[in-house]
Amino acid sequence: MKSICVFCGSSFGARALYTDAARATGRVIAEAGLTVVYGGASVGLMGVVADAALSAGGTVIGVLPKVLEEKELAHKGLTELHIVDSMHERKALMADLSDGFAALPGGAGTMEEIFEIWTWGQLGLHRKPCGFVNIDGFYDGLIGFLDHQTREGFMKPVMRDMVKVAPTPEDLIAQFNRYEPPATPKWIGKDET
């Protein structure tokens, strides 16, 4: 593994512990000798992750759509900043540049990004790990719902097990290093859910 994409909020959230966790995530990734790939903005937890990785001597690659660059959200101090035409291009390039995907607390955009990359993995479009850094139980309700979907037959356990959950970025990276993707993508068998 050479790089981890971090999906997270463009705001700071209601509690300082989210900022602390974003700072720790950027630092831990950099100290592990990995590159941070993220959405390229200077605001919210996104900017905190980037600044922390840079401060720890790490490499940070941002990918930002033109529409957000025009709103002056681009982080000007990154190792690399790719400006793309659309949100779709942003996600595709971030996926290409990354060997794993971690979601910190965030809103709808964070959810959309991590769920899309997880879905791509289920379909066999990549074999990379993804997961949630579950800061102070932020994702407990979501994890419970994913387990509910599995119990109710809308997701096979092997697909549910693809997404990892850890309380710290160190723990998530350790899980990523041990990750084994499913032997068979979702739509290979006749009765796949």
Side-chain angles (χ1 to χ4, degrees):
M1 180 171 300
K2 296 179 182 176
S3 60
I4 294 180
C5 182
V6 179
F7 302 127
C8 60
S10 59
S11 61
F12 293 103
R15 298 189 288 161
L17 61 88
Y18 301 132
T19 299
D20 295 341
R23 190 174 296 113
T25 299
R27 177 185 51 76
V28 164
I29 293 171
E31 289 176 353
L34 303 170
T35 295
V36 169
V37 177
Y38 86 116
S42 60
V43 296
L45 298 185
M46 295 173 72
V48 172
V49 168
D51 289 341
L54 292 166
S55 293
T59 299
V60 181
I61 300 173
V63 183
L64 191 71
K66 284 180 187 175
V67 67
L68 296 179
E69 180 192 29
E70 292 164 3
K71 295 181 186 301
E72 300 181 1
L73 297 179
H75 194 301
K76 303 297 184 188
L78 303 178
T79 311
E80 294 177 31
L81 178 61
H82 299 269
I83 303 299
V84 296
D85 289 328
S86 70
M87 294 294 280
H88 295 294
E89 285 182 53
R90 177 196 221 180
K91 290 183 293 184
L93 182 55
M94 286 170 36
D96 288 344
L97 293 170
S98 303
D99 299 314
F101 306 88
L104 291 172
T110 301
M111 296 296 93
E112 185 267 336
E113 289 166 330
I114 193 69
F115 274 90
E116 183 165 7
I117 206 71
W118 179 21
T119 301
W120 291 357
Q122 289 182 12
L123 296 174
L125 301 177
H126 69 76
R127 297 177 58 78
K128 304 171 186 179
C130 62
F132 296 94
V133 182
N134 192 22
I135 305 304
D136 197 37
F138 180 82
Y139 283 115
D140 284 354
L142 176 63
I143 300 309
F145 181 70
L146 298 178
D147 294 339
H148 175 69
Q149 285 180 308
T150 304
R151 285 190 305 272
E152 293 298 316
F154 289 99
M155 188 182 322
K156 294 225 178 266
V158 68
M159 297 298 152
R160 165 62 187 89
D161 292 343
M162 288 177 70
V163 70
K164 303 304 176 188
V165 181
T168 67
E170 293 92 340
D171 292 337
L172 191 62
I173 291 171
Q175 289 187 50
F176 282 5
N177 287 329
R178 295 187 304 270
Y179 179 71
E180 294 288 336
T184 307
K186 181 175 178 177
W187 294 109
I188 298 298
K190 291 187 223 175
D191 64 345
E192 295 294 329
T193 299

